Amino acid sequence: GEGIPAGMTTIASKLKGGGYATHYVGKWGVGFTWKGQWPRSRGFDSFFGYMHDSVDYWNQMLGAKSIEVPGGCEAAMRAMNMSDLAVDLIRNDGPAKGENG
């Protein structure tokens, strides 16, 4: 996805400026096309969760009907008929191996 504009400050950056530690747990869903959009590049000290906002927590799949109006990566996946894909649970900047319950 397009994500948060690069020039926009996140709350994590503001909190870090005040001396706080910042951690993100859950569905990111605001940009993951390149690592500059990932949580740790946007001010968070750590991240544990899914990059995509439409992931099913129970089966770790991105379903064909999970996005009403597909765009970007989602549109490409549907065009290739690859919409029921498993997704990685991420810890910081890589797969959270062995942590997918």
Side-chain angles (χ1 to χ4, degrees), residues 17-101:
Y20 289 89
T22 58
H23 308 280
Y24 192 97
V25 176
K27 296 179 181 182
W28 179 242
V30 290
F32 57 89
T33 305
W34 58 88
K35 284 202 173 183
Q37 294 178 317
W38 289 29
R40 289 180 24 112
S41 296
R42 299 310 312 255
F44 290 95
D45 294 318
S46 68
F47 171 69
F48 184 72
Y50 296 102
M51 294 307 236
H52 202 284
D53 58 356
S54 297
V55 174
D56 185 314
Y57 279 121
W58 300 108
N59 65 15
Q60 291 91 38
M61 301 289 281
L62 178 62
K65 296 188 170 61
S66 63
I67 303 161
E68 290 183 32
V69 182
C73 297
E74 296 89 6
M77 285 171 49
R78 287 194 185 174
M80 293 185 294
N81 197 24
M82 298 174 57
S83 54
D84 282 323
L85 296 176
V87 293
D88 279 332
L89 182 62
I90 304 291
R91 178 173 294 282
N92 296 324
D93 297 324
K97 295 180 179 168
E99 297 184 59
N100 272 29

Side-chain angles (χ1 to χ4, degrees), residues 9-23:
T9 303
T10 64
I11 192 166
S13 297
K14 292 287 189 184
L15 289 169
K16 280 183 76 161
Y20 289 89
T22 58
H23 308 280

